[in-house]
Amino acid sequence: MTLKSKLRSKKGYIFTYEAVAVVILFVAVFYMGYFTFTHVNLTNQEQKRDLERFEKANLISDMIFKDYLFPSEYYADDYHEFLEDVAIKHYGFKKIPASYDPLIVYTKNEVLSYYIEVEGYNSSGVGLQNVIDIDTISNPKPNYSLRNIYSKEKNLYVPTHLNYFEADNISQNVSEGEILYFAINGSSKIESINVSSNSDTNATFLVNDVPYKLSLTSTEKVSEFEKVMNTYNETSFRSNEIKLLDIGDNSLENVTINIYCNDTSKFYILKIKPYNVTLSVDMAQ
């Protein structure tokens, strides 16, 4: 019996088991092919949407990081002038590249879902009350309802101390990797800059791009940093930079820098240090 004769009778009906099996096989192959095609197509579309969300979240993250560069415009006028001098003189821009300013009010935080976390950062000792130009600052709060999250981490300079005051000397504790900036508004002359530590150690500094290596004790040591320092020139700030590159004794948290002047003037102080900053963005937006 041929296949053709098995598929039909004289009455036109399919009646053999072989014919039923052929039909079932045909239908199964058709649906397997259809569902495979549909699944692949949907998977490709979903992967394309995920890639688009990823690229969009990445662009949003870069935009937010750029908006958070230090310094923002929310500082008192003369202090902001000092901060801009620091950025321009020591980095070549009005804002410090690879920096993060935790004070910024991000105007789009009501429509963008994101959260910024600075690992190990404590803003309580930064001294905001003396330098900011607004009464309250609203920063984005954590949104733990976010489910589809894109995270980007950067190691950025973050301010650890901000201040300005009238005095004839200042004392600042500086930790390894931290940078101290200061300027003097007035006719004072820097008489000496002394450095000390809680225990005997060696420390390496970069002062206005000039390297110094000092052996320190608990007794203040004359550093001679003042030989490469700038003073106020009555028309603009002349900020100074002291980087603490290395502390020989790993158990020491910081060393103390004391700056003495011959007269009372206004001191402007900024300290910054690298921190890991993580930005989490809702990919669904």
Side-chain angles (χ1 to χ4, degrees):
M1 182 182 293
T2 64
L3 177 63
K4 183 176 180 180
S5 63
K6 290 180 179 179
L7 289 177
R8 65 184 181 182
S9 67
K10 293 180 180 179
K11 295 182 179 181
Y13 297 110
I14 298 174
F15 64 93
T16 65
Y17 290 113
E18 292 90 339
V20 172
V22 169
V23 172
I24 292 175
L25 179 63
F26 174 80
V27 172
V29 170
F30 172 79
Y31 278 105
M32 285 179 64
Y34 174 78
F35 284 123
T36 300
F37 171 80
T38 302
H39 175 73
V40 170
N41 187 48
L42 291 175
T43 300
N44 289 338
Q45 291 182 15
E46 188 64 30
Q47 289 177 343
K48 182 180 178 182
R49 282 195 294 268
D50 288 344
L51 181 60
E52 289 174 348
R53 292 192 190 104
F54 179 89
E55 291 174 344
K56 181 180 178 181
N58 185 53
L59 290 173
I60 290 174
S61 299
D62 289 340
M63 179 185 69
I64 294 173
F65 273 125
K66 184 178 179 180
D67 286 347
Y68 271 87
L69 286 174
F70 181 86
S72 65
E73 67 272 25
Y74 300 109
Y75 297 95
D77 291 341
D78 56 339
Y79 189 76
H80 188 272
E81 186 181 349
F82 158 67
L83 296 180
E84 278 200 347
D85 178 81
V86 169
I88 293 171
K89 179 178 178 182
H90 301 283
Y91 297 91
F93 303 93
K94 285 190 174 182
K95 293 181 180 290
I96 297 175
S99 66
Y100 167 74
D101 190 338
L103 306 187
I104 290 179
V105 178
Y106 190 62
T107 57
K108 294 183 179 180
N109 61 7
E110 71 277 5
V111 294
L112 286 176
S113 297
Y114 67 93
Y115 174 49
I116 301 177
E117 185 175 14
V118 185
E119 182 182 357
Y121 182 69
N122 182 6
S123 63
S124 62
V126 176
L128 308 182
Q129 68 279 2
N130 296 330
V131 298
I132 60 175
D133 240 353
I134 50 180
D135 294 331
T136 58
I137 297 175
S138 60
N139 287 314
K141 301 298 182 183
N143 187 348
Y144 296 109
S145 66
L146 303 182
R147 293 185 294 273
N148 199 8
I149 303 299
Y150 172 84
S151 293
K152 177 177 282 191
E153 181 180 295
K154 291 188 177 184
N155 190 254
L156 304 175
Y157 286 116
V158 182
T160 55
H161 187 67
L162 307 158
N163 209 346
Y164 66 143
F165 50 84
E166 297 278 348
D168 61 2
N169 69 86
I170 65 169
S171 179
Q172 293 292 317
N173 292 325
V174 182
S175 61
E176 187 172 288
E178 199 166 30
I179 308 175
L180 168 65
Y181 294 99
F182 73 93
I184 304 170
N185 182 350
S187 58
S188 288
K189 178 182 177 182
I190 299 174
E191 291 188 329
S192 67
I193 300 178
N194 299 344
V195 188
S196 62
S197 60
N198 290 335
S199 61
D200 295 355
T201 188
N202 294 321
T204 305
F205 301 86
L206 195 63
V207 182
N208 288 344
D209 296 325
V210 178
Y212 286 83
K213 187 168 184 178
L214 303 177
S215 296
L216 304 179
T217 67
S218 57
T219 302
E220 290 187 20
K221 181 183 183 67
V222 176
S223 67
E224 298 187 345
F225 292 170
E226 65 274 7
K227 292 183 177 180
V228 295
M229 290 292 174
N230 300 306
T231 55
Y232 191 75
N233 65 4
E234 297 183 358
T235 59
S236 64
F237 288 97
R238 303 185 67 185
S239 59
N240 299 283
E241 177 187 72
I242 302 178
K243 294 182 179 180
L244 179 53
L245 302 180
D246 177 69
I247 300 177
D249 185 350
N250 294 330
S251 65
L252 276 177
E253 292 185 1
N254 52 58
V255 301
T256 303
I257 298 175
N258 296 296
I259 303 173
Y260 299 96
C261 296
N262 66 347
D263 196 7
T264 298
S265 294
K266 182 173 284 188
F267 275 91
Y268 295 82
I269 303 296
L270 163 67
K271 289 196 294 186
I272 61 175
K273 186 176 182 178
Y275 281 87
N276 290 328
V277 180
T278 302
L279 171 62
S280 299
V281 176
D282 182 5
M283 292 177 64
Q285 60 193 325

